[in-house]
Every structure is written in C-alpha cells, then in structure tokens.
Amino acid sequence: MPGCLFCAIAAGDVPSDRVLETDTVVAFRDVNPQAPVHVLVVPRRHVDHLHALPADDPLTGDLVAATQRVAEQEGIAATGYRVVANVGPNAGMSVPHLHLHVLGRRPMGWPPG
Ligand code: AMP
C-alpha cells in the first residue's frame, strides 16, 4: 500500500534490523524497544490490523509460526514471552499495518497499560 511504512520495510525499501523472513512474513527489531527482546512480526501483504485478517486465511498460521520461530531464535521460548497486537486507536496502534509485537527477556506486569 503506497505510503505504508511496514509495506516499505517488508519490500526492503526502508531499512530494518531483520531477524526472520519467509515468503509471507518478515520480522525485525522494533526501533523503540520496550523489552530486551522486542521484535515485530509483519505480513508482507498489507492488512490493516488483526481484526481485518480472516481467521481461516493461511497468513494467520504463517504469523503464528513466525512468532514461534522468533521466540526460539531469540532464546525466550522457554522462559516465556508476550505477544501483543494493537488494533485501532484505543489500543494505541500507531502503524496501520498488522504487526505482532514479540516481547521478552524480562518479567512483565499485568494488566498492561
Ligand atoms: P503499534 O503502536 O502497535 O502500532 O506499534 C508500532 C511499533 O512500530 C512501535 O513499537 C514503533 O516503535 C515501531 N516502529 C515504528 N517505526 C519503525 C521502524 N522504522 N522500524 C522498526 N520499528 C518501528
């Protein structure tokens, strides 16, 4: 989608610190990390947010698989990690292209802010 930051990152037109890429998904480090591990798992195809992704779309499984691979690669699968998908303004979504935050390597509080 023209003007979409994460479309541009997925296409390689904007640089990012990539940790994983597949045919359908890229994962890269967040520029403003909120934990020692903070990776964004992003579909190459533009989807506005999680609520716009059909549950039976194969991309849904691709995003879950990529999230699990990132956690394994980053060494946080055994100790635990958090996955966050902000949807819309009340959740504080700032980049309108579906992404999963994968956060780990520190204990986290609950409830989130
Ligand atoms: P959200 O608020 O859920 O939409 O999350 C967007 C995230 O994208 C924030 O955590 C930002 O720090 C992150 N971000 C914004 N621009 C970039 C960028 N160029 N590369 C990596 N992460 C980014």
Side-chain angles (χ1 to χ4, degrees):
M1 174 174 280
C4 172
L5 174 61
F6 286 177
C7 282
I9 288 178
D13 296 336
V14 169
S16 66
D17 185 0
R18 287 195 187 199
V19 299
L20 180 83
E21 41 188 320
T22 72
D23 287 350
T24 58
V25 176
V26 297
F28 51 90
R29 297 193 192 284
D30 197 294
V31 283
N32 183 23
Q34 302 301 309
V37 172
H38 187 170
V39 172
L40 302 174
V41 176
V42 175
R44 290 185 187 274
R45 183 181 108 211
H46 185 87
V47 178
D48 285 343
H49 46 59
L50 187 71
H51 204 79
L53 180 64
D56 61 354
D57 190 313
L59 185 56
T60 304
D62 294 350
L63 289 165
V64 172
T67 297
Q68 293 168 344
R69 281 181 59 191
V70 166
E72 294 286 346
Q73 280 181 207
E74 296 294 319
I76 57 174
T79 49
Y81 59 96
R82 183 168 289 173
V83 180
V84 174
N86 291 320
V87 178
N90 265 9
M93 189 177 200
S94 60
V95 178
H97 177 131
L98 169 59
H99 51 282
L100 302 178
H101 297 256
V102 181
L103 301 136
R105 208 173 292 150
R106 70 163 170 82
M108 288 173 210
W110 193 262

